[in-house]
Amino acid sequence: MLYEYGEIDKYREDSRIHVYHDSAEQVQSLVPESGETRADLVLSGIPFSFFPDQVRDAIVRSTRDVLKEDGMFLAYQTFFQRDVHLKVYMERYFSRVRDTYYLRNLPPMRLYEALP
Ligand SMILES: C[S@@+](CC[C@H](N)C(=O)[O-])C[C@H]1O[C@@H](n2cnc3c(N)ncnc32)[C@H](O)[C@@H]1O
């Protein structure tokens, strides 16, 4: 899993957790490094709206490639993100994409569930 800097210490003793300081673009090499061949779930809160098109495309495609066939890419973004920031890329590589708004959350969020 990719964790933010600073959150790492509380997981250091947990043998189930592997921490890498790397970009989500590298997920395809990081999953095998952790001893797994494919992932059940990729959970992401990285800011897709800030990335150039090629980086969004590369991250979503790589994520699809590391997931098991019954896995899921679960991503959350703030609610004002547009489809062009993430959903269109998910629809390119995943067979089913569902998005839900959580307007009562602070800040309001949009959750994307993408299935291979
Ligand atoms: C808005 S913060 C979200 C923090 C946390 N995930 C949460 O939801 O509270 C965005 C985080 O994404 C990380 N990030 C940005 N670009 C990334 C990338 N290409 N790969 C991995 N992490 C990235 C940043 O370092 C930052 O910690």
Side-chain angles (χ1 to χ4, degrees):
M1 297 178 79
L2 298 174
Y3 278 97
E4 285 175 67
Y5 190 75
E7 280 187 305
I8 291 165
D9 283 342
K10 66 184 176 197
Y11 298 111
R12 207 174 284 284
E13 303 303 321
D14 189 330
S15 62
R16 299 167 303 169
I17 305 288
H18 304 267
V19 177
Y20 303 99
H21 283 147
D22 215 327
S23 169
E25 285 174 90
Q26 304 307 319
V27 67
Q28 269 183 293
S29 57
L30 297 179
V31 169
E33 258 185 60
S34 74
E36 300 289 338
T37 47
R38 297 265 179 135
D40 297 299
L41 177 77
V42 173
L43 173 64
S44 171
I46 64 173
F48 280 91
S49 61
F50 293 163
F51 302 152
D53 291 354
Q54 312 92 282
V55 173
R56 291 177 189 146
D57 188 271
I59 292 174
V60 175
R61 182 168 34 79
S62 305
T63 301
R64 166 65 186 87
D65 289 345
V66 298
L67 280 173
K68 294 178 181 170
E69 282 310 304
D70 59 349
M72 181 190 286
F73 182 19
L74 188 61
Y76 55 91
Q77 304 281 280
T78 42
F79 77 106
F80 49 81
Q81 305 302 327
R82 298 179 12 237
D83 286 357
V84 290
H85 294 137
L86 177 57
K87 193 175 182 185
V88 294
Y89 298 90
M90 286 179 151
E91 287 173 337
R92 202 173 278 173
Y93 297 109
F94 288 82
S95 66
R96 240 181 74 208
V97 178
R98 186 171 78 163
D99 65 304
T100 311
Y101 287 90
Y102 290 89
L103 299 177
R104 296 178 70 187
N105 194 64
L106 286 176
M109 299 300 279
R110 189 175 180 190
L111 184 76
Y112 304 78
E113 295 165 272
L115 303 179

